[in-house]
């Protein structure tokens, strides 16, 4: 399951949704808004997304992970809108019988989400300027469509 959220990500319900008596491992990834990037002092982030395509592509990534790794399930939630320093921007949880497969699948999913989803990030800097960063999307339908 993948979801975009305008509100704070509530982790405990997501972990409960992954509960499975077969699972011996739950690995998670939390992406937080940091106060710096490439030499700039960051004060705020804004995420924009092409929601329907992002959800479709993310579900495809999770299906791929289930085929590549012996995992039971995966859930990922990504924020959109304005986020403050320290806010949780993305949460991912993966369950498996053993930790190795859960770690590998978790890494695969977050790496693919970062490169394939049409989600764009605008950083606001301490000096009053702002800029879109990491706007490259490898999905063919999205290349060059966002400024």
């Amino acid at each position: 399951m993948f979801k975009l959220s305008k509100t704070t990500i509530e982790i405990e319900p997501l972990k409960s949704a992954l509960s499975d008596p077969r699972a011996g491992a739950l690995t998670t990834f939390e992406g937080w808004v940091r106060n710096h990037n490439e030499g700039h002092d960051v004060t705020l982030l804004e995420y924009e997304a092409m929601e329907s395509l992002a959800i479709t592509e993310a579900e495809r990534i999770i299906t791929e992970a289930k085929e590549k790794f012996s995992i039971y399930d995966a859930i990922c939630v990504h924020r959109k809108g304005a986020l403050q320093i320290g806010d949780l921007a993305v949460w991912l949880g993966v369950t498996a019988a053993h930790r190795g497969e859960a770690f590998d699948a978790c890494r695969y999913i977050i790496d693919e989400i970062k490169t394939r989803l049409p989600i764009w990030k605008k950083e606001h800097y301490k000096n009053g300027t702002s800029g879109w960063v990491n706007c490259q999307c490898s999905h063919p339908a999205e290349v060059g469509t966002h400024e």
Side-chain angles (χ1 to χ4, degrees):
M1 177 189 94
F2 177 82
K3 181 178 159 187
L4 289 167
S5 177
K6 288 183 179 177
T7 60
T8 302
I9 298 170
E10 299 295 333
I11 295 171
E12 289 306 317
L14 298 170
K15 288 173 64 176
S16 291
L18 286 169
S19 180
D20 186 326
R22 300 172 299 168
L26 165 65
T27 60
T28 63
F29 171 81
E30 295 183 7
W32 299 347
V33 177
R34 65 177 179 264
N35 69 354
H36 62 94
N37 188 36
E38 298 181 358
H40 297 282
D41 293 326
V42 177
T43 60
L44 175 79
L45 284 186
E46 292 178 67
Y47 283 103
E48 291 187 12
M50 180 175 278
E51 192 158 338
S52 62
L53 184 56
I55 291 169
T56 299
E57 190 66 14
E59 293 293 345
R60 183 175 295 128
I61 291 166
I62 290 171
T63 298
E64 290 169 6
K66 288 179 178 177
E67 293 169 358
K68 287 175 147 302
F69 308 97
S70 294
I71 62 171
Y72 296 128
D73 206 357
I75 295 176
C76 183
V77 179
H78 199 296
R79 290 285 310 273
K80 62 182 183 179
L83 282 76
Q84 303 295 320
I85 303 303
D87 282 353
L88 181 59
V90 61
W91 187 89
L92 168 63
V94 178
T95 55
H98 304 284
R99 68 182 180 275
E101 291 293 318
F103 276 122
D104 292 345
C106 192
R107 176 71 182 245
Y108 175 81
I109 292 168
I110 195 63
D111 286 351
E112 294 299 310
I113 282 175
K114 295 285 285 180
T115 58
R116 292 169 46 185
L117 265 55
I119 297 175
W120 301 281
K121 178 170 66 175
K122 185 176 187 180
E123 293 180 340
H124 294 263
Y125 306 113
K126 191 174 183 178
N127 67 6
T129 63
S130 63
W132 292 97
V133 295
N134 298 330
C135 294
Q136 304 84 10
C137 177
S138 65
H139 192 282
E142 291 305 305
V143 174
T145 61
H146 195 273
E147 296 180 27

